């Protein structure tokens, strides 16, 4: 079985592209969605409470304060520690999920494969790419509460898109349509 990592910066069209892979019969594991499921598992939460005993993350009944957790993402040190804690769980879950698939190839969609040195888990890396202005427009459409400055700040936390493209086995340009994506890619060649 070939394990493929599908990555790219925020707004590059990873999820859109992954739907086309699914339509072709390639199972896709959505790392963000699966990581969110962890926060509902009691065994995971017990270990997280030991690793992150800070009381502001926990409600009086012992449940994780999701509002406080999401606000903590602005703290780069906290985000790094949390990611180092969560990623091994996600990768183990991906491995179990992949073994259960009856397919010649599987894909994990994750924006942060390069940022957290997860590429060694995969045989090939595909990077979704799109012009920055289009990425910003896409993000604003799906999350109008963000400002362009918010989006640029999030982009700055990720490895630059150009670097991701250089490291990829394959780059897929996602424009407004596939035809536009092909045209953009051909213009770069």
């Amino acid at each position: 079985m070939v394990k493929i990592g599908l990555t790219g910066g925020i707004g590059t069209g990873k999820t859109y592209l992954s739907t086309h892979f699914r339509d072709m019969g390639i199972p896709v594991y959505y790392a963000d969605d699966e990581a969110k499921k962890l926060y509902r598992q009691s065994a995971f939460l017990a270990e997280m409470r030991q690793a992150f005993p800070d009381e502001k993350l926990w409600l009086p009944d012992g449940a994780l304060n999701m509002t406080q957790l999401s606000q903590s993402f602005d703290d780069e040190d906290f985000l790094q520690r949390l990611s180092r804690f969560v990623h091994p769980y996600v990768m183990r879950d991906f491995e179990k999920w992949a073994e259960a698939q009856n397919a010649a190839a599987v894909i994990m969609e994750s924006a942060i494969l390069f940022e957290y040195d997860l590429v060694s888990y995969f045989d090939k890396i595909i990077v979704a790419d799109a012009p920055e202005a289009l990425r910003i427009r896409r993000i604003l459409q799906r999350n109008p509460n963000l400002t362009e400055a918010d989006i640029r700040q999030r982009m700055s936390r990720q490895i630059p898109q150009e670097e991701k493209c250089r490291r990829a086995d394959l780059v897929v340009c996602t424009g407004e349509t596939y035809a536009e994506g092909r045209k953009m890619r051909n213009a770069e060649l």
Side-chain angles (χ1 to χ4, degrees), residues 129 171 173 183-189:
D129 191 26
V171 175
C173 295
K183 189 183 338 173
M184 288 186 314
R185 184 66 186 150
N186 290 337
E188 293 175 16
L189 298 175

Short mmCIF file of all heavy atoms in Angstrom, two decimals, residues 129 171 173 183-189:
data_model
loop_
_atom_site.label_atom_id
_atom_site.label_comp_id
_atom_site.label_asym_id
_atom_site.label_seq_id
_atom_site.Cartn_x
_atom_site.Cartn_y
_atom_site.Cartn_z
N ASP A 129 -1.42 23.77 -4.21
CA ASP A 129 -0.88 25.13 -4.31
C ASP A 129 -1.90 26.04 -4.99
O ASP A 129 -2.68 25.59 -5.83
CB ASP A 129 0.42 25.10 -5.11
CG ASP A 129 1.19 26.41 -5.04
OD1 ASP A 129 1.05 27.14 -4.04
OD2 ASP A 129 1.95 26.71 -5.99
N VAL A 171 3.14 18.64 -7.20
CA VAL A 171 2.42 19.87 -6.84
C VAL A 171 1.20 19.96 -7.74
O VAL A 171 1.30 19.83 -8.96
CB VAL A 171 3.31 21.12 -7.04
CG1 VAL A 171 2.51 22.40 -6.77
CG2 VAL A 171 4.54 21.06 -6.15
N CYS A 173 -1.74 22.53 -8.73
CA CYS A 173 -2.22 23.90 -8.63
C CYS A 173 -3.74 23.89 -8.67
O CYS A 173 -4.33 23.31 -9.57
CB CYS A 173 -1.68 24.74 -9.78
SG CYS A 173 0.10 24.93 -9.72
N LYS A 183 -3.53 25.86 -16.22
CA LYS A 183 -2.96 27.03 -16.87
C LYS A 183 -1.91 27.68 -15.97
O LYS A 183 -0.83 28.05 -16.41
CB LYS A 183 -4.05 28.05 -17.22
CG LYS A 183 -3.56 29.19 -18.08
CD LYS A 183 -4.57 30.28 -18.40
CE LYS A 183 -6.00 29.92 -18.29
NZ LYS A 183 -6.90 31.07 -18.45
N MET A 184 -2.21 27.82 -14.67
CA MET A 184 -1.25 28.42 -13.73
C MET A 184 0.00 27.57 -13.67
O MET A 184 1.11 28.09 -13.69
CB MET A 184 -1.86 28.56 -12.34
CG MET A 184 -2.91 29.62 -12.22
SD MET A 184 -3.49 29.87 -10.52
CE MET A 184 -3.77 28.24 -9.91
N ARG A 185 -0.13 26.26 -13.58
CA ARG A 185 1.02 25.38 -13.45
C ARG A 185 1.87 25.44 -14.72
O ARG A 185 3.09 25.51 -14.65
CB ARG A 185 0.58 23.94 -13.16
CG ARG A 185 1.72 23.00 -12.92
CD ARG A 185 2.45 23.38 -11.66
NE ARG A 185 3.62 22.56 -11.51
CZ ARG A 185 4.73 22.93 -10.93
NH1 ARG A 185 4.82 24.12 -10.40
NH2 ARG A 185 5.75 22.14 -10.83
N ASN A 186 1.23 25.42 -15.89
CA ASN A 186 1.97 25.48 -17.14
C ASN A 186 2.72 26.80 -17.28
O ASN A 186 3.81 26.83 -17.84
CB ASN A 186 1.04 25.27 -18.34
CG ASN A 186 0.55 23.83 -18.41
OD1 ASN A 186 1.19 22.92 -17.88
ND2 ASN A 186 -0.59 23.64 -19.05
N ALA A 187 2.15 27.88 -16.76
CA ALA A 187 2.81 29.18 -16.82
C ALA A 187 4.08 29.19 -15.98
O ALA A 187 5.04 29.88 -16.30
CB ALA A 187 1.86 30.28 -16.36
N GLU A 188 4.10 28.39 -14.91
CA GLU A 188 5.28 28.32 -14.04
C GLU A 188 6.40 27.52 -14.66
O GLU A 188 7.56 27.69 -14.31
CB GLU A 188 4.90 27.70 -12.67
CG GLU A 188 3.98 28.57 -11.86
CD GLU A 188 3.54 27.87 -10.59
OE1 GLU A 188 4.15 26.87 -10.20
OE2 GLU A 188 2.57 28.34 -9.97
N LEU A 189 6.05 26.57 -15.55
CA LEU A 189 7.06 25.66 -16.13
C LEU A 189 7.91 26.31 -17.14
O LEU A 189 8.24 27.12 -17.61
CB LEU A 189 6.39 24.43 -16.73
CG LEU A 189 5.63 23.58 -15.74
CD1 LEU A 189 4.91 22.46 -16.47
CD2 LEU A 189 6.58 22.97 -14.71
#
